């Protein structure tokens, strides 16, 4: 009964911990999608660590409950009081090994490449406004053609700048999500080890108590 009870407790605890971490990661990625990580990452990281710490506390509480249930079942098996559960283990600092890091940012292209894209966009706008009326056989005043050419160049240049900012934002979000998953994996590694060590210690303790019950007159 002891081995079966502790195996079931271990399975429940591991499933609970993984489910909680997965939900925390999904929520964190949703937060990343709604913000600019280059600006808001410290707040996101603080929230993520607090959420993971809370989920760890809930899983460790479940571990204690499952251990107490096994102790009570063993006590009933022996026809007496529940076996005394082991002293609760001191929870580890499951996030202390994660180093503080700067906000993830998108990698800017070299200045020459950005300038070339901007110039080419503006040049393309000028050419469109100057050449299209001729192809269409439309005679327009020179001032109107020039105004249209400048307006088109500005619009295309602005679109290029907007696309560059969007690219940087998406890159920053992608890197932030990878960092969220990395922090969650680090937390899960430490929390899982603590849970397994605690369950192993509890099983040894309960086995000792069972031996005492069977040998005491």
């Amino acid at each position: 009964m002891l081995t079966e009870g502790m195996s079931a407790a271990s399975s429940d605890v591991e499933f609970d911990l993984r489910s909680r971490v997965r939900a925390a990661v999904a929520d964190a990625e949703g937060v990343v999608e709604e913000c600019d990580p280059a600006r808001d990452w410290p707040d996101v990281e603080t929230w993520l660590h607090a959420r993971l710490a809370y989920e760890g506390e809930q899983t460790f509480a479940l571990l204690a409950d499952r251990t107490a249930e096994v102790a009570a079942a063993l006590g009933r098996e022996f026809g007496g009081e529940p076996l005394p559960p082991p002293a609760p283990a001191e929870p580890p600092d499951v996030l202390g090994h994660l180093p503080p890091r700067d906000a993830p940012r998108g990698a800017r292209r070299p200045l020459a490449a950005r300038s070339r894209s901007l110039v080419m966009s503006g040049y393309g706008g000028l050419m469109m406004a100057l050449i299209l009326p001729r192809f269409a056989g439309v005679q327009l005043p020179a001032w109107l053609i020039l105004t249209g050419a400048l307006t088109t160049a500005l619009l295309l240049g602005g679109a290029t700048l907007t696309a560059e900012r969007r690219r940087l934002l998406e890159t920053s979000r992608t890197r932030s999500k990878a960092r969220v998953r990395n922090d969650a994996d680090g937390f899960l590694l430490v929390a899982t080890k603590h849970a397994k060590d605690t369950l192993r210690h509890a099983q040894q303790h309960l086995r000792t108590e069972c031996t005492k019950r069977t040998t005491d007159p």
Side-chain angles (χ1 to χ4, degrees):
M1 176 176 286
L2 173 60
T3 301
E4 293 177 356
M6 296 307 293
S7 295
S10 177
S11 177
D12 290 344
V13 168
E14 183 175 0
F15 178 79
D16 181 77
L17 180 61
R18 289 185 177 276
S19 298
R20 289 178 178 277
V21 171
R22 181 175 297 180
V25 169
D27 290 346
E29 290 183 345
V31 171
V32 168
E33 279 296 326
E34 298 298 327
C35 73
D36 180 0
R39 181 190 66 233
D40 302 325
W41 175 251
D43 293 335
V44 175
E45 185 177 46
T46 299
W47 175 87
L48 173 64
H49 288 184
R51 172 70 180 274
L52 290 174
Y54 169 79
E55 301 298 352
E57 291 173 358
Q58 298 304 304
T59 295
F60 297 152
L62 174 66
L63 187 155
D65 291 342
R66 290 291 184 270
T67 302
E69 290 174 4
V70 174
L74 289 171
R76 290 192 297 270
E77 184 73 12
F78 284 104
E81 295 294 327
L83 297 181
E90 186 69 21
D93 184 3
V94 291
L95 297 168
H97 66 290
L98 299 177
R101 289 172 291 186
D102 295 333
R105 300 179 183 275
R108 288 184 175 273
R109 294 187 298 169
L111 179 60
R114 284 181 283 152
S115 300
R116 184 168 57 251
S117 296
L118 187 60
V119 170
M120 292 302 296
S121 297
Y123 178 76
L126 287 171
M127 291 300 99
M128 287 173 58
L130 292 173
I131 295 175
L132 285 180
R134 294 186 180 182
F135 275 111
V138 178
Q139 296 295 327
L140 297 174
W143 68 268
L144 184 58
I145 294 176
L146 182 59
T147 301
L150 291 175
T151 301
T152 305
L154 290 174
L155 289 175
L156 290 178
T160 300
L161 292 176
T162 299
E164 176 67 12
R165 286 194 293 268
R166 182 66 182 176
R167 185 189 67 82
L168 291 175
L169 178 60
E170 290 302 322
T171 302
S172 178
R173 285 174 174 170
T174 298
R175 292 180 175 179
S176 296
K177 290 178 182 179
R179 189 172 294 181
V180 164
R181 290 188 290 270
N182 182 71
D183 284 2
D185 288 343
F187 164 83
L188 186 61
L189 184 67
V190 175
T192 299
K193 183 180 185 305
H194 172 71
K196 289 183 176 180
D197 290 345
T198 302
L199 286 167
R200 183 168 53 252
H201 171 71
Q203 185 170 359
Q204 293 171 349
H205 170 82
L206 292 175
R207 182 179 291 113
T208 300
E209 292 296 327
C210 288
T211 302
K212 290 180 180 179
R213 289 285 180 95
T214 56
T215 56
D216 287 346

